[in-house]
PDB file of all heavy atoms in Angstrom:
ATOM      1  N   SER A 132     -35.538  73.741 -37.019  1.00  0.00           N
ATOM      2  CA  SER A 132     -35.708  74.049 -38.439  1.00  0.00           C
ATOM      3  C   SER A 132     -37.193  74.154 -38.787  1.00  0.00           C
ATOM      4  O   SER A 132     -37.622  75.099 -39.463  1.00  0.00           O
ATOM      5  CB  SER A 132     -35.034  72.966 -39.281  1.00  0.00           C
ATOM      6  OG  SER A 132     -35.256  73.200 -40.640  1.00  0.00           O
ATOM      7  N   ARG A 133     -37.979  73.178 -38.323  1.00  0.00           N
ATOM      8  CA  ARG A 133     -39.426  73.208 -38.584  1.00  0.00           C
ATOM      9  C   ARG A 133     -40.080  74.412 -37.890  1.00  0.00           C
ATOM     10  O   ARG A 133     -40.959  75.052 -38.449  1.00  0.00           O
ATOM     11  CB  ARG A 133     -40.085  71.913 -38.115  1.00  0.00           C
ATOM     12  CG  ARG A 133     -39.894  70.764 -39.068  1.00  0.00           C
ATOM     13  CD  ARG A 133     -40.831  69.607 -38.742  1.00  0.00           C
ATOM     14  NE  ARG A 133     -40.732  69.129 -37.378  1.00  0.00           N
ATOM     15  CZ  ARG A 133     -39.861  68.229 -36.948  1.00  0.00           C
ATOM     16  NH1 ARG A 133     -39.001  67.702 -37.783  1.00  0.00           N
ATOM     17  NH2 ARG A 133     -39.850  67.840 -35.689  1.00  0.00           N
ATOM     18  N   ALA A 134     -39.644  74.706 -36.682  1.00  0.00           N
ATOM     19  CA  ALA A 134     -40.230  75.815 -35.933  1.00  0.00           C
ATOM     20  C   ALA A 134     -39.983  77.142 -36.642  1.00  0.00           C
ATOM     21  O   ALA A 134     -40.867  77.994 -36.703  1.00  0.00           O
ATOM     22  CB  ALA A 134     -39.665  75.862 -34.513  1.00  0.00           C
ATOM     23  N   LYS A 135     -38.786  77.310 -37.194  1.00  0.00           N
ATOM     24  CA  LYS A 135     -38.485  78.544 -37.919  1.00  0.00           C
ATOM     25  C   LYS A 135     -39.353  78.660 -39.161  1.00  0.00           C
ATOM     26  O   LYS A 135     -39.809  79.742 -39.499  1.00  0.00           O
ATOM     27  CB  LYS A 135     -37.001  78.601 -38.280  1.00  0.00           C
ATOM     28  CG  LYS A 135     -36.120  78.940 -37.100  1.00  0.00           C
ATOM     29  CD  LYS A 135     -34.678  79.064 -37.507  1.00  0.00           C
ATOM     30  CE  LYS A 135     -33.830  79.457 -36.309  1.00  0.00           C
ATOM     31  NZ  LYS A 135     -32.423  79.580 -36.641  1.00  0.00           N
ATOM     32  N   GLU A 136     -39.577  77.532 -39.834  1.00  0.00           N
ATOM     33  CA  GLU A 136     -40.424  77.544 -41.024  1.00  0.00           C
ATOM     34  C   GLU A 136     -41.871  77.862 -40.661  1.00  0.00           C
ATOM     35  O   GLU A 136     -42.552  78.581 -41.377  1.00  0.00           O
ATOM     36  CB  GLU A 136     -40.359  76.187 -41.739  1.00  0.00           C
ATOM     37  CG  GLU A 136     -39.032  75.893 -42.377  1.00  0.00           C
ATOM     38  CD  GLU A 136     -38.912  74.456 -42.853  1.00  0.00           C
ATOM     39  OE1 GLU A 136     -39.912  73.726 -42.835  1.00  0.00           O
ATOM     40  OE2 GLU A 136     -37.792  74.069 -43.246  1.00  0.00           O
ATOM     41  N   GLN A 137     -42.327  77.310 -39.548  1.00  0.00           N
ATOM     42  CA  GLN A 137     -43.730  77.466 -39.162  1.00  0.00           C
ATOM     43  C   GLN A 137     -43.945  78.607 -38.161  1.00  0.00           C
ATOM     44  O   GLN A 137     -45.068  78.914 -37.810  1.00  0.00           O
ATOM     45  CB  GLN A 137     -44.248  76.155 -38.558  1.00  0.00           C
ATOM     46  CG  GLN A 137     -44.178  75.005 -39.540  1.00  0.00           C
ATOM     47  CD  GLN A 137     -44.490  73.680 -38.867  1.00  0.00           C
ATOM     48  OE1 GLN A 137     -44.811  73.616 -37.696  1.00  0.00           O
ATOM     49  NE2 GLN A 137     -44.396  72.608 -39.630  1.00  0.00           N
ATOM     50  N   LYS A 138     -42.844  79.217 -37.686  1.00  0.00           N
ATOM     51  CA  LYS A 138     -42.908  80.323 -36.728  1.00  0.00           C
ATOM     52  C   LYS A 138     -43.598  79.939 -35.411  1.00  0.00           C
ATOM     53  O   LYS A 138     -44.262  80.742 -34.787  1.00  0.00           O
ATOM     54  CB  LYS A 138     -43.629  81.539 -37.327  1.00  0.00           C
ATOM     55  CG  LYS A 138     -43.039  82.051 -38.605  1.00  0.00           C
ATOM     56  CD  LYS A 138     -41.768  82.815 -38.349  1.00  0.00           C
ATOM     57  CE  LYS A 138     -41.305  83.467 -39.628  1.00  0.00           C
ATOM     58  NZ  LYS A 138     -39.939  83.349 -39.909  1.00  0.00           N
ATOM     59  N   VAL A 139     -43.449  78.688 -35.003  1.00  0.00           N
ATOM     60  CA  VAL A 139     -44.025  78.241 -33.734  1.00  0.00           C
ATOM     61  C   VAL A 139     -42.983  77.481 -32.926  1.00  0.00           C
ATOM     62  O   VAL A 139     -42.105  76.830 -33.479  1.00  0.00           O
ATOM     63  CB  VAL A 139     -45.265  77.335 -33.948  1.00  0.00           C
ATOM     64  CG1 VAL A 139     -46.401  78.090 -34.581  1.00  0.00           C
ATOM     65  CG2 VAL A 139     -44.914  76.115 -34.771  1.00  0.00           C
ATOM     66  N   ASP A 140     -43.076  77.574 -31.634  1.00  0.00           N
ATOM     67  CA  ASP A 140     -42.239  76.820 -30.699  1.00  0.00           C
ATOM     68  C   ASP A 140     -40.740  76.946 -30.958  1.00  0.00           C
ATOM     69  O   ASP A 140     -39.978  76.054 -30.609  1.00  0.00           O
ATOM     70  CB  ASP A 140     -42.632  75.340 -30.683  1.00  0.00           C
ATOM     71  CG  ASP A 140     -44.036  75.124 -30.162  1.00  0.00           C
ATOM     72  OD1 ASP A 140     -44.460  75.910 -29.279  1.00  0.00           O
ATOM     73  OD2 ASP A 140     -44.695  74.194 -30.636  1.00  0.00           O
ATOM     74  N   GLU A 141     -40.311  78.055 -31.532  1.00  0.00           N
ATOM     75  CA  GLU A 141     -38.887  78.232 -31.811  1.00  0.00           C
ATOM     76  C   GLU A 141     -38.080  78.310 -30.516  1.00  0.00           C
ATOM     77  O   GLU A 141     -37.003  77.739 -30.421  1.00  0.00           O
ATOM     78  CB  GLU A 141     -38.664  79.488 -32.649  1.00  0.00           C
ATOM     79  CG  GLU A 141     -37.232  79.657 -33.086  1.00  0.00           C
ATOM     80  CD  GLU A 141     -37.023  80.815 -34.039  1.00  0.00           C
ATOM     81  OE1 GLU A 141     -38.011  81.337 -34.587  1.00  0.00           O
ATOM     82  OE2 GLU A 141     -35.869  81.199 -34.222  1.00  0.00           O
ATOM     83  N   VAL A 142     -38.605  78.974 -29.515  1.00  0.00           N
ATOM     84  CA  VAL A 142     -37.904  79.104 -28.240  1.00  0.00           C
ATOM     85  C   VAL A 142     -37.716  77.733 -27.591  1.00  0.00           C
ATOM     86  O   VAL A 142     -36.636  77.400 -27.106  1.00  0.00           O
ATOM     87  CB  VAL A 142     -38.645  80.067 -27.288  1.00  0.00           C
ATOM     88  CG1 VAL A 142     -38.038  80.041 -25.897  1.00  0.00           C
ATOM     89  CG2 VAL A 142     -38.628  81.478 -27.852  1.00  0.00           C
ATOM     90  N   MET A 143     -38.761  76.907 -27.610  1.00  0.00           N
ATOM     91  CA  MET A 143     -38.664  75.566 -27.021  1.00  0.00           C
ATOM     92  C   MET A 143     -37.648  74.717 -27.777  1.00  0.00           C
ATOM     93  O   MET A 143     -36.874  73.975 -27.170  1.00  0.00           O
ATOM     94  CB  MET A 143     -40.039  74.890 -27.024  1.00  0.00           C
ATOM     95  CG  MET A 143     -41.060  75.584 -26.146  1.00  0.00           C
ATOM     96  SD  MET A 143     -40.554  75.696 -24.419  1.00  0.00           S
ATOM     97  CE  MET A 143     -40.687  73.991 -23.946  1.00  0.00           C
TER      98      MET A 143
END
Side-chain angles (χ1 to χ4, degrees):
S132 176
R133 281 194 305 274
K135 284 183 178 179
E136 291 170 8
Q137 299 171 3
K138 304 285 187 225
V139 295
D140 296 327
E141 186 174 346
V142 171
M143 295 301 290

